[in-house]
Amino acid sequence: GAIDVIPEGTAVELLDGNVVRISHTVLEGHRFAVKKIHKDEGLFSWNMQFGTALKDIYPGEYIMNERGLKALSMLFLCLFMYRSSRSNF
């Protein structure tokens, strides 16, 4: 996973020397594709499969499942509410 937040559009040089552009901001510990992954292929991290691609995934694309999207949307909603709030005591 990412060792720090990687902003959308950042060019990242991979170990093989290829450069990919990040599709969406990638949070620390989250994953992005380093090569094309075809629909129905396994997604691997540390040589262990953790999922199966629902569509073709391209280098630099954020790896995210439905559960993660729901969790992030709740987190961002909470952060938005917190930032929109004013002290009342």
Side-chain angles (χ1 to χ4, degrees), residues 4-61:
D4 202 351
V5 173
I6 306 172
E8 176 182 352
T10 299
V12 175
E13 184 175 355
L14 305 177
L15 294 175
D16 63 7
N18 286 322
V19 176
V20 298
R21 193 155 303 276
I22 300 300
S23 66
H24 298 80
T25 297
V26 177
L27 300 177
E28 181 179 347
H30 289 223
R31 296 170 177 86
F32 62 91
V34 297
K35 65 178 187 146
K36 183 175 181 181
I37 304 166
H38 297 280
K39 180 182 180 196
D40 297 324
E41 280 188 342
L43 288 93
F44 291 84
S45 181
W46 300 100
N47 292 320
M48 295 181 63
Q49 185 172 350
F50 65 89
T52 302
L54 300 177
K55 65 176 198 70
D56 287 347
I57 301 172
Y58 295 91
E61 196 171 335

